[in-house]
Amino acid sequence: MSERKATIQVDSLELSRQHEIMDRIRENNEMEYAKTGKKPAMHVLTFGCQQNNADSERIKGMLNQMGYAEAPSTQAADVIIVNTCCVRENAELKLYGHIGTLKHLKRNNPRLIIGVCGCMMQQEHAVEMIRTKYRYVDIIFGTHNLYKLPELLERSKNEKYTLIDILNTEGMIVEDIPVKREDKYKAWVTIMYGCNNFCSYCIVPFVRGRERSRKPQDILEEIRKLAQEGCKEVTVLGQNVNSYGKDLEDTVDFADLLRMVNDVDGIERIRFMTSHPKDISDKLIETMRDCKKVCEQLHLPFQAGSNTILDKMNRKYTKESYLEKVRKAKEAMPGIALSTDVIVGFPGETEADFEETLDVIRQVEYDQAFMFIYSKRKGTPAAELSEQVDEEVKHKHFDRLVKLQNSVSRKLNEAYMDRIVEILVEGPSKNDPERLTGRTRTGKVVNFDGFDKPQRDTLIGSLVNVRITEVFSWFLNGTVTD
Ligand code: SF4
């Protein structure tokens, strides 16, 4: 039984100090507004995963508390924060391009403050690149000290050089940071941070730190407050939610937490991501089956089908044990929607190895798969591996994988034809504003009509039943039935 090492919480003194600074900056901004009639504005650019989206909602929450309105674009902003991602090499290169485009804004508005944060900034080479090549960036901070933004913002006003504050400790838990949510009816709720799995191709453990769980009472309090504000669906987030609670004093695991969230009045739907297959327990599968609000959807990255490659990836499961977990989930929840992540072209991958990957796709039949071509990630063990796969072979395999997965997704969507499904209405459809859009409990996007125009806005945020009339590979169309 591993020794439970208590997770460090940022002390309340430090947090109240940041809140005092937020109040001070807000007073200054209000005075500015009274003088100029122009409300200072902020703009946050977010790259990467759901965790970064959730972090950006906290960055916006703090800036909002400091009296910054949200600007529709970087052009109209007085503070710009770029929340970076470094999961793949090209993501990092693209980001330098984005930061480069901000230079002229500084020339037009010398009082503009530009900050760069997120996973990329937890890497020394990237911080050095920004510090030396993008000197107009005022603040650099990381994933472990978001809560220090007020202090960094205030100090940067008197600094000539780029202010750099990167925490490389084990990582801490910070509660009571204001949040500005993107959506009223659906919310991201982070339950834990970091990852201890060290898959050989992944940079996350190096930039997000060791696993640390929020206390269940803090998570439940956040979700109860969301429910009171009208939120209907929560997605609980973690790099590996199945490790939840392993670092907490009291013995509570992810399945226990799901049951507690299931009891929160007002919440209608619960989703979660991401699960590591090695930690999916029978207890969790039973809990998903028994908790009515937990949606029949499971994101279970398998990455590769060959045990040789899984071993090189340090994934800690085999093709067989993975398929057994999938079998149990399907048995407990017939019709469950499965999604996954797959990497093609991992060093040493042979034709036979790749066939194993295709075999898993055929056996499991995923509703959705996020498919990637392996790219070396500086700082990860896999980047040192020889036997890099030829680029042409990688692309050929990738095309075959996408073709197979598209046919599977299409086939699974066809099973929805003429079925009546429950939708949480999110808003007007992007493809056709005359229609509304939302998702099924299995995560399918459905665009639908059949409601009276005046009724349209009242439906947003509610659960309605829709009959499916048309199916496509990535979405469905339908008509409201009630
Ligand atoms: S489980 Fe593996 S792939 Fe996922 S974040 Fe952790 S190290 Fe990365």
Side-chain angles (χ1 to χ4, degrees):
M1 172 74 168
S2 60
E3 182 253 330
R4 287 178 179 270
K5 198 154 53 53
T7 290
I8 314 160
Q9 294 256 350
V10 171
D11 72 31
S12 53
L13 268 184
E14 170 60 14
L15 277 178
S16 41
R17 196 171 66 81
Q18 297 297 333
H19 277 273
E20 279 160 25
I21 299 172
M22 279 195 255
D23 296 345
R24 238 190 343 262
I25 293 177
R26 190 179 58 249
E27 278 153 29
N28 293 343
N29 282 337
E30 281 163 358
M31 283 198 288
E32 178 81 17
Y33 180 42
K35 249 192 304 174
T36 64
K38 178 184 172 299
K39 199 167 172 66
M42 51 102 169
H43 191 80
V44 179
L45 291 169
T46 307
F47 298 87
C49 66
Q50 293 80 1
Q51 187 58 59
N52 254 15
N53 284 317
D55 284 352
S56 286
E57 289 186 337
R58 296 194 304 156
I59 293 169
K60 287 181 189 172
M62 289 186 276
L63 290 166
N64 215 228
Q65 179 112 350
M66 290 185 255
Y68 290 96
E70 189 155 7
S73 69
T74 51
Q75 278 72 16
D78 302 288
V79 174
I80 298 172
I81 305 290
V82 184
N83 190 1
T84 65
C85 164
C86 61
V87 78
R88 264 170 285 283
E89 200 90 12
N90 57 7
E92 199 165 310
L93 300 175
K94 259 199 236 134
L95 264 152
Y96 291 126
H98 279 286
I99 296 167
T101 64
L102 303 178
K103 187 170 185 177
H104 76 287
L105 296 174
K106 191 90 180 190
R107 226 176 281 128
N108 306 345
N109 174 7
R111 297 179 59 201
L112 169 65
I113 295 176
I114 298 175
V116 181
C117 67
C119 292
M120 201 169 124
M121 292 305 108
Q122 288 292 140
Q123 303 176 106
E124 268 170 44
H125 71 266
V127 172
E128 208 37 35
M129 173 71 103
I130 301 286
R131 191 185 68 76
T132 52
K133 299 274 186 305
Y134 302 83
R135 292 172 182 275
Y136 50 88
V137 168
D138 303 282
I139 309 172
I140 296 178
F141 57 108
T143 56
H144 300 327
N145 59 349
L146 286 188
Y147 68 93
K148 289 185 86 174
L149 176 59
E151 174 194 331
L152 296 171
L153 210 56
E154 190 172 59
R155 282 174 53 202
S156 73
K157 291 186 176 158
N158 313 318
E159 285 285 341
K160 286 202 192 59
Y161 304 102
T162 305
L163 199 51
I164 301 173
D165 193 323
I166 307 288
L167 228 50
N168 273 320
T169 58
E170 278 292 306
M172 298 179 284
I173 293 280
V174 192
E175 295 293 347
D176 303 329
I177 293 189
V179 183
K180 186 171 185 308
R181 299 200 186 263
E182 283 310 307
D183 191 306
K184 177 177 179 193
Y185 301 107
K186 297 189 316 167
W188 307 113
V189 176
T190 302
I191 61 169
M192 65 180 298
Y193 300 89
C195 184
N196 295 355
N197 287 313
F198 290 94
C199 301
S200 63
Y201 52 83
C202 184
I203 197 77
V204 172
F206 303 96
V207 293
R208 287 267 173 194
R210 294 294 64 67
E211 287 172 2
R212 52 220 191 269
S213 307
R214 294 177 64 198
K215 294 191 183 118
Q217 56 271 34
D218 293 331
I219 295 168
L220 292 171
E221 193 190 320
E222 180 178 348
I223 295 176
R224 286 193 200 101
K225 192 161 165 287
L226 281 166
Q228 280 149 17
E229 293 161 358
C231 180
K232 292 280 186 312
E233 177 179 303
V234 289
T235 300
V236 295
L237 286 180
Q239 307 295 352
N240 176 17
V241 290
N242 304 348
S243 293
Y244 176 80
K246 288 185 178 163
D247 58 313
L248 292 176
E249 309 272 327
D250 42 1
T251 46
V252 54
D253 65 14
F254 182 53
D256 300 330
L257 180 71
L258 270 186
R259 279 190 191 279
M260 295 181 213
V261 178
N262 192 61
D263 294 339
V264 175
D265 290 340
I267 295 296
E268 305 277 355
R269 289 176 166 193
I270 304 166
R271 302 185 194 274
F272 59 86
M273 61 191 318
T274 295
S275 294
H276 193 296
K278 75 174 174 36
D279 298 320
I280 287 269
S281 64
D282 293 353
K283 180 182 174 184
L284 177 62
I285 291 175
E286 284 151 22
T287 302
M288 289 182 73
R289 179 197 62 203
D290 300 345
C291 291
K292 292 286 157 283
K293 299 177 183 177
V294 176
C295 291
E296 299 73 26
Q297 185 190 22
L298 179 62
H299 182 63
L300 202 59
F302 84 94
Q303 305 295 7
S306 143
N307 288 341
T308 315
I309 298 297
L310 286 171
D311 195 38
K312 283 186 180 169
M313 286 178 163
N314 190 29
R315 289 290 287 172
K316 305 182 186 99
Y317 55 81
T318 61
K319 177 184 176 185
E320 294 73 23
S321 65
Y322 179 91
L323 290 174
E324 176 56 13
K325 302 250 169 111
V326 168
R327 186 192 63 71
K328 284 183 177 171
K330 284 186 172 185
E331 192 179 72
M333 292 158 279
I336 187 171
L338 292 161
S339 58
T340 195
D341 299 343
V342 195
I343 295 175
V344 167
F346 188 81
E349 187 178 67
T350 63
E351 200 59 39
D353 292 328
F354 178 63
E355 285 304 329
E356 293 280 355
T357 294
L358 295 181
D359 185 46
V360 173
I361 295 281
R362 288 192 196 95
Q363 286 202 45
V364 175
E365 294 204 325
Y366 295 98
D367 292 75
Q368 195 175 20
F370 301 92
M371 299 164 277
F372 306 97
I373 292 180
Y374 172 75
S375 72
K376 256 193 196 179
R377 207 62 217 82
K378 204 158 57 185
T380 63
E384 310 309 316
L385 290 175
S386 57
E387 315 154 85
Q388 297 290 333
V389 178
D390 173 73
E391 284 303 316
E392 207 186 318
V393 173
K394 279 187 195 173
H395 283 86
K396 259 211 217 94
H397 285 176
F398 184 74
D399 296 347
R400 282 178 59 198
L401 174 68
V402 171
K403 194 156 169 269
L404 173 61
Q405 179 53 44
N406 283 354
S407 66
V408 171
S409 299
R410 175 71 198 223
K411 185 184 111 184
L412 294 178
N413 272 8
E414 267 151 17
Y416 278 75
M417 191 58 186
D418 218 25
R419 268 175 56 185
I420 294 184
V421 288
E422 179 206 72
I423 305 291
L424 174 61
V425 185
E426 293 171 15
S429 156
K430 291 196 189 71
N431 313 343
D432 171 0
E434 292 305 302
R435 286 170 183 264
L436 284 171
T437 191
R439 287 170 195 266
T440 63
R441 289 175 60 91
T442 51
K444 304 279 177 195
V445 174
V446 177
N447 303 316
F448 63 95
D449 52 20
F451 47 83
D452 316 337
K453 291 274 170 293
Q455 214 193 353
R456 199 175 78 140
D457 294 344
T458 60
L459 288 176
I460 296 173
S462 64
L463 294 169
V464 298
N465 289 323
V466 170
R467 179 184 299 283
I468 302 303
T469 54
E470 276 178 296
V471 302
F472 302 88
S473 291
W474 303 117
F475 67 94
L476 309 166
N477 280 347
T479 300
V480 84
T481 61
D482 52 2

